[in-house]
Amino acid sequence: CETCSKEAAKYRCPRCMKYSCSLLCVKKHKLALSCNGIRDKTAFVSVNEFTDLHLLSDYRFLEDVGRTADAAARHCTVHSPATKRLLYCLRNKARGCNIELKTLPVGFTKRRENSTTFNSMENKFYWHLKLVFPHCHAEYTLKGVPDDKTLADILKPYIDPVESDPVVCQRLKIYTASPQSDVQILMKIENRNRNSVRYNELDASRSLLDNLKGKVIIEYPTLFVVLKTLKNDMVVLGQ
């Protein structure tokens, strides 16, 4: 067992391929690695390892995609004037802030998750935001984040040694133990070739709105929090 290292392994996780001996260890490994236990149907398989089972799996996956796309196209909210008007207003307000906001069709996960709103009285965005901590394999989703809040204040409940939640602090101890000067906030640049992925470095002392200006956002921002001292494969634009 790769969790307790005591008992003989009986189960293997379809997602991360970790061996476990019991239900308790399965739950522990899911919590520690943020693993959902669901096999990744789109994971890369080399030609040498490709079998008839992989071919059948791919065929069923494409059938599922076809059914989902068809169901989304028939969904009543797709053709709802109110929905179209709301999305148009959201994109228009973002354009006024020099942000190119793109929305996806109904049926896509990010479209379903997105809870971003614009308050006309306050003239302010309340963003749906995702924080990714690659070094700890952790992700957190925030809702209703005001656009005038600085990135440093947004990250305080997660990586600040004093103000962060004890459970979160323990999970992100690599970050909380590192000096704040080592923390780097990145956001993926959209509309680039897949073999040329680049990231913009954001300024933690500036507001969320200031950091998003001049950038393309698909549904909602996803921020990657990394440490300069630890190796990662994220290439910042200009490097």
Side-chain angles (χ1 to χ4, degrees):
C1 177
E2 296 184 50
T3 303
C4 66
S5 302
K6 295 178 182 179
E7 303 292 335
K10 299 178 182 178
Y11 313 104
R12 192 177 190 185
C13 178
R15 182 77 178 188
C16 62
M17 311 307 285
K18 295 285 185 182
Y19 286 99
S20 302
C21 65
S22 62
L23 179 60
L24 180 62
C25 285
V26 169
K27 290 181 177 179
K28 284 182 178 179
H29 112 267
K30 286 183 177 180
L31 183 63
L33 301 178
S34 298
C35 176
N36 57 16
I38 301 174
R39 183 177 66 85
D40 185 4
K41 297 179 182 179
T42 61
F44 174 77
V45 179
S46 65
V47 176
N48 296 332
E49 298 175 350
F50 200 84
T51 64
D52 290 343
L53 288 176
H54 291 107
L55 181 62
L56 182 61
S57 175
D58 287 352
Y59 181 75
R60 287 175 176 170
F61 174 71
L62 292 175
E63 284 186 322
D64 290 341
V65 171
R67 282 193 293 269
T68 303
D70 183 63
R74 296 169 184 269
H75 202 283
C76 59
T77 58
V78 175
H79 309 289
S80 168
T83 301
K84 292 181 178 179
R85 189 164 55 249
L86 184 63
L87 292 178
Y88 175 80
C89 177
L90 208 59
R91 290 193 297 263
N92 195 38
K93 292 295 183 181
R95 195 179 301 114
C97 298
N98 193 26
I99 300 172
E100 187 177 350
L101 178 63
K102 295 187 176 183
T103 54
L104 298 170
V106 174
F108 282 77
T109 303
K110 292 189 75 172
R111 172 88 291 270
R112 189 169 61 250
E113 292 175 341
N114 193 5
S115 61
T116 301
T117 58
F118 183 82
N119 190 313
S120 301
M121 299 290 291
E122 300 177 7
N123 196 33
K124 184 189 298 184
F125 273 98
Y126 285 87
W127 289 96
H128 183 104
L129 191 65
K130 181 176 285 188
L131 299 178
V132 181
F133 298 86
H135 304 305
C136 295
H137 304 286
E139 290 185 6
Y140 296 95
T141 299
L142 289 72
K143 295 183 179 181
V145 180
D147 60 14
D148 57 354
K149 196 171 185 178
T150 64
L151 299 188
D153 289 337
I154 293 173
L155 291 178
K156 268 186 181 180
Y158 299 91
I159 61 175
D160 189 275
V162 179
E163 298 188 27
S164 62
D165 180 88
V167 177
V168 176
C169 181
Q170 179 62 25
R171 188 177 183 186
L172 304 178
K173 57 184 177 182
I174 298 177
Y175 292 88
T176 54
S178 301
Q180 294 298 312
S181 57
D182 285 345
V183 176
Q184 191 177 30
I185 307 171
L186 307 177
M187 190 170 77
K188 183 182 176 183
I189 302 174
E190 304 293 350
N191 297 338
R192 289 182 66 94
N193 294 331
R194 294 189 66 181
N195 59 351
S196 180
V197 179
R198 295 292 182 272
Y199 294 82
N200 277 318
E201 183 174 2
L202 307 183
D203 188 348
S205 63
R206 301 179 67 185
S207 69
L208 178 60
L209 180 63
D210 289 339
N211 278 289
L212 296 181
K213 286 182 177 179
K215 297 178 177 63
V216 178
I217 299 172
I218 298 179
E219 288 293 347
Y220 56 81
T222 299
L223 308 184
F224 296 86
V225 186
V226 300
L227 296 174
K228 300 175 184 177
T229 52
L230 296 181
K231 186 178 183 299
N232 64 78
D233 57 356
M234 297 179 180
V235 182
V236 178
L237 187 68
Q239 288 183 345

